[in-house]
Amino acid sequence: MTEPTQTQPPTDTPSAYGWCAWHQGHAHGVRLIEVQEQASGPGGNVFACRPCREAYDLVPFADRP
Ligand SMILES: [Zn+2]
């Protein structure tokens, strides 16, 4: 586990890294699925990774008509 001294900007990373709410873990390639508006609290944007999107037939928020 060596930390790189130089940080290279992501050149070819079309996928985002974040929390998948479906399998309860971090994953690459998460997409925003739902925007939950809440008056108080952390509220939430719900993300799902690609395997979960395929497994649960989820449509990304941005891809909806
Ligand atoms: Zn997932």
Side-chain angles (χ1 to χ4, degrees):
M1 293 304 241
T2 55
E3 293 283 340
T5 52
Q6 290 181 335
T7 54
Q8 294 179 339
T11 53
D12 190 16
T13 53
S15 58
Y17 183 74
W19 178 263
C20 173
W22 271 261
H23 77 259
Q24 296 286 299
H26 287 95
H28 288 282
V30 294
R31 293 288 303 275
L32 177 63
I33 303 298
E34 262 184 81
V35 178
Q36 296 177 341
E37 295 188 14
Q38 292 182 338
S40 62
N45 295 338
V46 182
F47 294 86
C49 66
R50 184 175 158 190
C52 286
R53 290 201 308 274
E54 293 179 350
Y56 295 95
D57 201 20
L58 304 169
V59 179
F61 189 78
D63 292 352
R64 293 179 195 174

